[in-house]
Structures are given as C-alpha cells and as structure tokens.
Amino acid sequence: MLSVETDQALAFRLAGHHLHAHTDPLTAVAACGLQEFPPGWAAVALRARAKGEPDPEEVVVVNAMRGAPYLVPRADVAVFTRALVPDDDGLKALVGTNPAKEVQAEGFSVREALDRVGAAARDGLAGGPLDRDAFLRRCASACRPGCCRGAGAVRATTCAQACGGRWGRSG
C-alpha cells in the first residue's frame, strides 16, 4: 500500500497550486482557476502565485466549480465549465415538462431551443439594456421565426418565459 507523509501531501498541493514558487500569471491562473469571490480576491490569489497580472484578453471570469465565479484562461473555458451543462434529460427537467414538449413538437431538442433562445437574448441586448417588457417583446419576436417549422409556432409566451425565466439563465 502507498504511504504518504503529511509533508509530502502538502508539498504536492502547494506545487500543484503554484504556491511553492512564483510562476508567470497565465500559468498560475490555468493551474486550477482562481476563485473570484468575494469580488477582487482572484487578484489576491494571483499575487500569492505570480508576479504581475495576465493579459486581460487572455482571461475571463466564469461560473465554474459549484457555480462560483472563477478567473480562468479564456482558451480553457470549456475545461472549467463543461460539468455545469446538464445532459438532455437534465435540460428537460430544468425548463419544465410543458415547454420541453412544445419545442419537441416543433422538431427541436431542448438544447437546440435553449441555444436559439440564448442567441435571441444576446441579439436583443446587443444594443444595450432594456426594461423587462421591452426585452421580452424583442426576444419573443426574434425567437418565433427561429423556433418554428411550417405552420406551427412556439407561442410568444413560451419564448418570453424562456428569455425572462428559467431558460434565460441557461442561455
């Protein structure tokens, strides 16, 4: 059986988190991401690991482990966020039975509908902030053409619910 002394385990953890010696800022961020909560504390964690700061174009704050905000390399966003995206059954549970049935009746998977709603929400806000009602109207009008096939159409209320409610948080 493998035997590990406390000092060995601590040395391994310190090295893995780049706390044993300073490294370049991007390497320090890439090792495990730096939790940005409370706000501003990623900078404190970075100072313990590196001299200087990473190029702002190379890093981004994302909701990662346990949904907490983390500073991570932009190139590695998927590494830190992949587990937060549920599988198809999880998405159906997230949006609810009726909206899931409605988009499936239109010939779309829940994931595809969420992607369309997310794109419509981003497009709707591209010109700047909107009040809730204006946002829902813009999103619903943008979603309907992209969420229907043939004569059927996803109701504007479903798109509005999607953009302003449960789906909006996922898109």
Side-chain angles (χ1 to χ4, degrees):
M1 174 165 66
L2 178 65
S3 176
V4 177
E5 299 294 321
T6 303
D7 288 347
Q8 290 174 302
L10 288 173
F12 178 79
R13 296 226 28 210
L14 288 170
H17 288 269
H18 294 287
L19 290 167
H20 67 299
H22 281 101
T23 186
D24 70 278
L26 194 57
T27 299
V29 171
C32 58
L34 301 177
Q35 190 167 355
E36 178 59 2
F37 188 83
W41 280 77
V44 174
L46 183 61
R47 283 188 191 96
R49 294 165 169 82
K51 292 189 187 276
E53 301 203 7
D55 178 348
E57 296 296 316
E58 293 183 337
V59 294
V60 64
V61 175
V62 297
N63 289 335
M65 289 72 78
R66 299 173 309 282
Y70 276 81
L71 180 70
V72 302
R74 191 173 297 274
D76 294 337
V77 166
V79 172
F80 289 93
T81 60
R82 178 70 64 192
L84 296 177
V85 179
D87 61 13
D88 288 340
D89 289 337
L91 284 175
K92 289 177 191 174
L94 179 69
V95 302
T97 304
N98 289 336
K101 286 180 182 177
E102 190 172 335
V103 297
Q104 288 173 331
E106 294 296 332
F108 294 94
S109 69
V110 173
R111 184 172 308 280
E112 185 177 12
L114 287 170
D115 288 344
R116 289 170 180 260
V117 168
R122 284 186 293 277
D123 289 347
L125 292 172
L130 298 171
D131 66 45
R132 180 183 175 275
D133 292 337
F135 171 68
L136 294 178
R137 280 192 303 273
R138 184 169 295 169
C139 186
S141 67
C143 282
R144 279 181 288 165
C147 289
C148 67
R149 291 187 177 160
V154 175
R155 295 187 320 267
T157 54
T158 298
C159 284
Q161 175 194 26
C163 290
R166 294 177 296 224
W167 293 10
R169 289 193 299 268
S170 298

